[in-house]
Amino acid sequence: MNPDKTYYFVDVPGVGCALTISPLTFGFIGREENPELGLFLGDRTKKSELEHIIAQEANKSTFQAILHGIGDNSKFYSPSVAFCIGAASALFLCPLHIAFITLVGVPFFAVPRYLQKGSVGNMKNGLKNAPVYDINTQPMKDYIAQERVEQKINAYVIRKKELGFWGQIKSVFREPAEMQQARLDLAKDFCHLYKISSQALGSLSPQGQYPLLVVRDTYNFVRNAYERKWFTEQKHIVFTAPVSCCAAKSQ
């Protein structure tokens, strides 16, 4: 196992599959035409689901990739952090704010997202022959089932979508009370999942810790998102099944 040369997708219960990225460029580590791939899965039947998700990401138009990004990290945030940075200092958009959004925000997100689209396209075919390794995440699965975490996430995401783009922007400054409570409840759940995954690391040898480190760090990212700590480091890109699919499975 060589995390420095291989792209490892790690199954993170309650979130999806996480893939390591470069914090400096927000891009995948390396952009080889035939990247080396590996999968750490708690359930091997998820391999075909991941292949389908990656194929969908690869088939995104360039515009969609730039607007929404690759993967689902943006699912945990409002639709445009760059827009919010420009608008946060005033109740209206003056020419200075518009210039900030256009000259700083758009290029800041557009370039790495364009590169990520090319990276994920190179992974589409390689996933079919990627080796699959087992990962034991049963303690996290038990907590997620007991606390109905996936159902809480689905309900929260659906409620956010109902607000629409401008409603989500407004919610950054004046969040509906029921959404705030749902968000903070999820933050507590992921704080607990972070602790469970940290404890699980203690029973592993250093060589076997990598996948659970990814799980722990992903829980930390999601917790920060629900706590609205927006400008913390993102070490992984998360790929999830559509909410409608997850909702159907949970019923």
Side-chain angles (χ1 to χ4, degrees), residues 18 28 73 76 133 141 159:
F28 304 137
N73 291 46
F76 303 100
Y133 308 97
K141 289 178 180 177
R159 180 69 182 92

Side-chain angles (χ1 to χ4, degrees), residues 59-121:
N59 291 333
K60 274 184 179 178
S61 68
T62 300
F63 176 77
Q64 285 295 321
I66 290 174
L67 182 65
H68 298 294
I70 293 296
D72 292 287
N73 291 46
S74 60
K75 181 175 78 172
F76 303 100
Y77 290 94
S78 292
S80 175
V81 174
F83 183 89
C84 292
I85 293 172
S89 60
L91 298 177
F92 58 90
L93 287 177
C94 71
L96 180 61
H97 297 128
I98 294 171
F100 183 91
I101 295 164
T102 304
L103 300 177
V104 179
V106 173
F108 182 77
F109 286 102
V111 173
R113 285 177 170 181
Y114 174 79
L115 295 174
Q116 287 172 4
K117 183 181 184 301
S119 297
V120 79

Side-chain angles (χ1 to χ4, degrees), residues 20-26 29 73 77 216-225 229-237:
T20 302
I21 60 173
S22 165
L24 182 63
T25 63
F26 300 92
I29 296 177
N73 291 46
Y77 290 94
R216 186 198 64 179
D217 290 344
T218 302
Y219 285 145
N220 188 50
F221 157 70
V222 177
R223 175 185 64 179
N224 285 335
K229 297 175 181 177
W230 287 343
F231 299 103
T232 55
E233 179 185 1
Q234 295 184 30
K235 297 181 179 180
H236 312 286
I237 286 182

Side-chain angles (χ1 to χ4, degrees), residues 87 186-187:
L186 282 167

Side-chain angles (χ1 to χ4, degrees), residues 1 7 58 69 74 119 151 175 248:
M1 185 176 71
Y7 296 89
S74 60
S119 297
Q151 289 87 340
E175 186 177 25

